[in-house]
């Protein structure tokens, strides 16, 4: 389907783009390569361990951890769309990317970003039901509903990205445009277009508004109700226990929404500044690296399951008793 979109307009003369990336001295390029490689591999390892822990521990077969496993799976691909090309560019003088490669990278990046926005909202709704309607929680959050919500998140991400691609891939890019970024993103591409991109900008703005504003509204409404419910709990211990069940998710939501809103809620011309690359590093490298750590540090069940998973994978039969549920 992506190929069909790319072939719609034969006026497109550009065969590849140049990603400017981080223009620094060779020694610093090597240092950045080492740092980002370590962050990329650690992110993959962390999220893989969380998925294995959730699948192998029966106590984590709950809606909350079902959605967490989807978040971990999403972020493994989220960083893989960007990091390998960025790492190669640190070591290579040739920082070009083909037109089709750029559009493919953009498509999957937008898909994963949009999916994460909606998935975090679904996770907030799950915490709302768990805290505000605890007795009805098993009846409301059934396996069927959880599967439908997770599938809906992925479908919305795929469809949103496809609609944006229809307009962005049809734009006319002259010669060999230089993109002031380390990956193909929407605003940098709109900046280097040779023709009027107002229609693509309008579509991008409208869809971004829907994908960001609606999930953000769900998150705010869910946590406003959760906070009201927690404050009504008479005991301090009860309030702390209730809040601890959503503290990790609230932290992850704050990190992801704040960094992405800073970038995507501003006009496209702001992307001419190098400061936006630094902000982009936060949500493409740092946040995916921190999310599994946040969930592990704030959640005893996840920590116990991870310890059990590591022991099971790394120990012999003598440790088998420690691996039982």
């Amino acid at each position: 389907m992506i190929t069909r979109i790319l072939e719609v307009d034969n006026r497109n003369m550009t065969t590849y783009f140049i990603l400017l990336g981080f223009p620094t001295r060779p020694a610093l390029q090597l240092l950045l390569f080492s740092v980002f490689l370590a962050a990329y591999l650690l992110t993959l390892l962390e999220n893989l361990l969380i998925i294995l822990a959730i699948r192998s521990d029966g106590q984590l077969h709950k809606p909350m951890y079902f959605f967490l496993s989807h978040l971990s799976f999403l972020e493994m691909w989220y960083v893989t769309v960007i990091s390998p090309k960025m790492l190669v560019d640190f070591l290579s003088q040739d920082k070009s990317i083909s037109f089709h490669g750029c559009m493919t990278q953009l498509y999957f990046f937008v898909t994963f970003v949009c999916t994460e926005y909606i998935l975090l909202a679904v996770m907030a709704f799950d915490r709302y039901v768990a805290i505000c309607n605890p007795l009805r929680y098993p009846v409301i959050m059934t396996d069927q509903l959880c599967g439908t919500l997770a599938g809906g998140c992925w479908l919305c991400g795929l469809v949103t990205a496809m609609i944006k691609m229809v307009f962005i891939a049809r734009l006319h890019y002259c010669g060999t445009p230089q993109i002031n970024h380390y990956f193909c993103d929407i605003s940098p591409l709109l900046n280097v277009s040779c023709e009027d991109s107002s229609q693509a900008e309008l579509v991008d703005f409208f869809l971004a508004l829907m994908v960001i504003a609606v999930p953000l509204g769900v998150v705010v409404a869910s946590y406003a109700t959760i906070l009201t419910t927690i404050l009504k709990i008479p005991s301090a211990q009860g309030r702390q226990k209730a809040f601890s069940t959503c503290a990790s998710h609230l932290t992850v939501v704050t990190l992801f929404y704040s960094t992405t809103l800073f970038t995507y809620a501003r006009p496209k011309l702001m992307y001419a500044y190098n400061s936006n690359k630094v902000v982009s590093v936060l949500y493409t490298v740092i946040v995916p690296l921190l999310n599994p750590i946040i969930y592990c540090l704030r959640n005893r069940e996840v920590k116990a399951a991870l310890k059990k998973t590591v022991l099971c994978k790394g120990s012999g039969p003598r440790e088998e008793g420690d691996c039982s549920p």
Side-chain angles (χ1 to χ4, degrees), residues 129 133-143 145:
V129 178
N133 296 280
L135 298 179
R136 299 185 59 199
Y137 182 71
V139 179
I140 297 175
M141 300 303 294
T142 61
D143 292 343
L145 178 61

Side-chain angles (χ1 to χ4, degrees), residues 32-106:
L32 290 174
F33 169 81
S34 302
V35 171
F36 284 115
L37 176 62
Y40 173 55
L41 295 177
L42 188 56
T43 301
L44 293 181
L45 178 61
E46 289 172 344
N47 285 290
L48 180 60
L49 285 175
I50 285 182
I51 293 173
L52 292 175
I54 292 174
R55 288 179 60 87
S56 61
D57 194 328
Q59 295 181 356
L60 298 185
H61 291 175
K62 303 173 184 178
M64 173 182 175
Y65 301 112
F66 171 76
F67 294 125
L68 176 58
S69 65
H70 274 268
L71 179 64
S72 294
F73 178 76
L74 183 153
E75 292 199 331
M76 289 176 66
W77 290 104
Y78 178 76
V79 297
T80 300
V81 167
I82 297 171
S83 294
K85 173 59 179 172
M86 177 178 63
L87 292 170
V88 170
D89 287 346
F90 280 131
L91 303 179
S92 174
Q93 294 295 326
D94 181 13
K95 301 183 186 299
S96 64
I97 182 172
S98 69
F99 179 82
H100 287 72
C102 183
M103 294 301 157
T104 301
Q105 184 187 57
L106 175 64

Side-chain angles (χ1 to χ4, degrees), residues 117 120-122 124-125 213-226 249-250 253 257:
Y117 272 120
L120 289 174
V122 169
F125 172 74
V214 174
L216 183 59
V218 172
V219 170
V220 171
S222 297
Y223 276 105
T225 310
I226 288 172
H249 176 258
L250 184 58
V253 167
Y257 273 74

Side-chain angles (χ1 to χ4, degrees), residues 3 11 13 72 115 147 181 246 256 280 293 303:
T3 305
R11 294 178 304 154
M13 300 168 57
S72 294
T115 302
H181 210 359
C246 56
F256 184 74
S280 297
I293 298 174
K303 283 194 290 186

